[in-house]
Amino acid sequence: MAAIDTRQQIVEAADDLFYSAGFVQTSFADIAKAVNISRGNFYYHFKTKDEILDAVIDKRLADRETLLAKWDETADDPVQRIICFIRIVIVNQSKIMAYGCPVGTMTAELAKLNHPSRTRANQIMALFRNWLQRQFGALGFGKDAELHALHVLGWSQGVASLAQAFGDEVYVRREVEQITDWLHEIAVTGRRIPSST
Amino acid sequence: MAAIDTRQQIVEAADDLFYSAGFVQTSFADIAKAVNISRGNFYYHFKTKDEILDAVIDKRLADRETLLAKWDETADDPVQRIICFIRIVIVNQSKIMAYGCPVGTMTAELAKLNHPSRTRANQIMALFRNWLQRQFGALGFGKDAELHALHVLGWSQGVASLAQAFGDEVYVRREVEQITDWLHEIAVTGRRIPSST
DNA sequence: TAAAAATTAGGACAAGCATCCTAATAAGTC
DNA sequence: GACTTATTAGGATGCTTGTCCTAATTTTTA
């Protein structure tokens, strides 16, 4: 097998395991077993666990950029784009209920570890924030675009957190409805801070 | 030293370390060093790491119950009580920015571990949900009381998550203002689902 | 096809881990 | 003050971890 394929398989397996089991809890052996290669082979591609983490973060960044670019193309209305984001919590509901938000949980874990790559992991979160901010900007919000972006991003983290804790589908659906209503409301009103969240 | 004191010190140190470093990442040695006792002494009080975890969860449950009871006493208006809850994200801001929400991050970690005590940890989250639900119930909300409770609880998790990721004080303050406004609004209107979140 | 490079396998290592054990000491009891 | 119990200390154990190394094998190159 070509080295690049092996490397890619390792990163994909690590990505999955870091998500489902966490970074600390996932061992070299776990990843090697998932890809069905020897530890020696593994070491050829990644010298340290931190190197794998960086590769996983790079992949996640790239994946999310691709996703956002797709939304930019397929939906030409900013409101519809933001709704694409909102609906992630429904589209990925089962995984979120089991493992939480991949971005949020990794951010939280690396923060507790005070891990060097903590900052890079936060960039994934920032990627969404900046994209959302651009959408709200396109809707005519100036200074408030960032606050709205953070509001929607924080909303998604909160929903993911409770979805994981309680596994309540009705709650998720209701929250999606509420924030969607809010979005339509402020999109029409425009350029003002909503009186309620 | 009395055994109970030692035990209590162990649980307190474990509580802190589980919060600041995570459950998996915290070792017996870490806790023993924090309390300044030998591992042997440690083993006398707790046979397994899971036993310590259970003790920490018990303590957290008791602590939160005490806190909520205090709010029940000191504020006799349900709105003011809910605001007490909302303001946690400001009162504990520095710790939250460093380590996230103690309840949310433990829930997330134990879920990924698929840990036996996962369910018990979720009870802390449920404690807040039930308390909030009671407050909304006292405001005249029937069926919607639970949804409002989940809404506020999820809000707090989202704010904590972003506060940890970005360390943005302004964002936290704005969110507190928004949800407080929302609370006052629905408290006056009463018995209806808010059109916006 | 021969030589060189890339890739893989799997054993070795020290460190850290949770856990267990025995012996010493302190506290309590009669 | 003797004896029993509660508490503490610290070493031993077996396992897992990340990391490293060397030898085999495959792939590429000339």
Side-chain angles (χ1 to χ4, degrees):
Chain A
M1 178 166 38
I4 295 190
D5 290 347
T6 306
R7 198 193 136 93
Q8 195 174 321
Q9 275 188 289
I10 290 174
V11 174
E12 273 169 23
D15 191 359
D16 288 347
L17 285 167
F18 288 174
Y19 178 36
S20 62
F23 172 69
V24 176
Q25 192 65 6
T26 302
S27 70
F28 270 58
D30 290 333
I31 306 173
K33 201 170 67 181
V35 187
N36 227 13
I37 61 174
S38 65
R39 276 161 302 132
N41 189 2
F42 201 114
Y43 181 72
Y44 173 76
H45 293 278
F46 295 98
K47 301 291 174 200
T48 68
K49 203 180 173 184
D50 288 351
E51 274 184 34
I52 312 172
L53 176 61
D54 284 338
V56 167
I57 294 175
D58 285 344
K59 174 177 156 44
R60 290 196 181 183
L61 266 172
D63 286 352
R64 269 67 177 178
E65 269 165 13
T66 305
L67 181 68
L68 295 178
K70 203 193 76 183
W71 288 345
D72 276 333
E73 271 192 36
T74 54
D76 41 20
D77 176 7
V79 169
Q80 286 308 312
R81 293 198 197 111
I82 297 169
I83 287 178
C84 285
F85 174 82
I86 288 170
R87 289 185 53 82
I88 293 184
V89 297
I90 288 181
V91 174
N92 299 336
Q93 190 161 115
S94 57
K95 282 209 166 188
I96 288 174
M97 281 183 181
Y99 314 120
C101 167
V103 183
T105 52
M106 172 170 275
T107 297
E109 186 178 8
L110 297 186
K112 297 219 180 200
L113 296 179
N114 208 5
H115 195 282
S117 298
R118 173 201 203 297
T119 315
R120 274 194 64 68
N122 281 4
Q123 285 191 299
I124 309 177
M125 196 79 95
L127 183 71
F128 283 108
R129 180 198 57 199
N130 296 341
W131 182 85
L132 285 167
Q133 184 172 351
R134 246 175 289 137
Q135 307 310 318
F136 280 107
L139 286 176
F141 292 98
K143 204 168 65 93
D144 293 335
E146 193 201 357
L147 272 166
H148 288 332
L150 287 171
H151 180 70
V152 172
L153 189 57
W155 168 87
S156 74
Q157 293 299 311
V159 171
S161 181
L162 285 209
Q164 189 185 19
F166 296 131
D168 185 341
E169 289 184 35
V170 175
Y171 159 73
V172 174
R173 217 178 314 131
R174 286 292 195 103
E175 281 290 337
V176 168
E177 283 169 19
Q178 279 185 40
I179 194 116
T180 304
D181 288 347
W182 167 82
L183 176 63
H184 283 127
E185 195 176 307
I186 70 159
V188 176
T189 321
R191 297 179 181 279
R192 73 167 185 93
I193 298 174
S195 61
S196 65
T197 295
Chain B
M1 177 164 44
I4 294 189
D5 290 347
T6 306
R7 198 195 136 94
Q8 195 175 321
Q9 276 188 288
I10 291 174
V11 175
E12 273 169 24
D15 191 0
D16 288 348
L17 285 168
F18 288 173
Y19 178 35
S20 62
F23 172 68
V24 176
Q25 192 65 8
T26 302
S27 70
F28 270 59
D30 290 334
I31 306 173
K33 201 170 67 181
V35 187
N36 226 17
I37 61 173
S38 65
R39 276 161 301 129
N41 189 2
F42 201 113
Y43 181 71
Y44 173 75
H45 292 279
F46 296 98
K47 302 289 176 203
T48 68
K49 203 180 173 184
D50 289 352
E51 273 184 33
I52 311 171
L53 176 61
D54 284 337
V56 167
I57 294 175
D58 284 345
K59 175 177 154 44
R60 290 196 182 182
L61 265 171
D63 286 353
R64 270 65 179 181
E65 269 166 12
T66 305
L67 182 67
L68 294 178
K70 203 192 76 184
W71 289 344
D72 275 333
E73 272 192 34
T74 55
D76 39 21
D77 177 7
V79 169
Q80 287 308 312
R81 294 199 198 111
I82 297 169
I83 288 177
C84 285
F85 174 83
I86 289 171
R87 289 184 54 81
I88 293 184
V89 298
I90 289 181
V91 174
N92 300 336
Q93 190 161 115
S94 56
K95 282 208 165 189
I96 287 174
M97 280 181 182
Y99 314 119
C101 168
V103 184
T105 52
M106 172 170 275
T107 297
E109 186 179 8
L110 296 186
K112 297 216 181 202
L113 297 178
N114 208 4
H115 195 283
S117 298
R118 173 201 203 297
T119 315
R120 275 194 63 69
N122 281 5
Q123 285 191 299
I124 310 177
M125 196 79 95
L127 183 72
F128 283 109
R129 181 198 55 199
N130 297 341
W131 182 85
L132 285 167
Q133 184 172 352
R134 247 175 289 138
Q135 306 311 317
F136 280 107
L139 286 176
F141 292 98
K143 206 169 64 95
D144 292 335
E146 194 201 355
L147 272 166
H148 288 332
L150 287 171
H151 181 70
V152 172
L153 190 58
W155 169 88
S156 74
Q157 292 299 310
V159 171
S161 180
L162 285 208
Q164 189 185 21
F166 296 131
D168 186 341
E169 289 184 34
V170 176
Y171 160 72
V172 175
R173 217 178 312 130
R174 286 293 196 99
E175 281 290 337
V176 168
E177 284 169 18
Q178 280 185 40
I179 194 113
T180 304
D181 287 347
W182 166 82
L183 176 63
H184 282 127
E185 197 175 305
I186 70 158
V188 178
T189 321
R191 297 179 181 279
R192 71 167 187 92
I193 299 172
S195 62
S196 64
T197 299

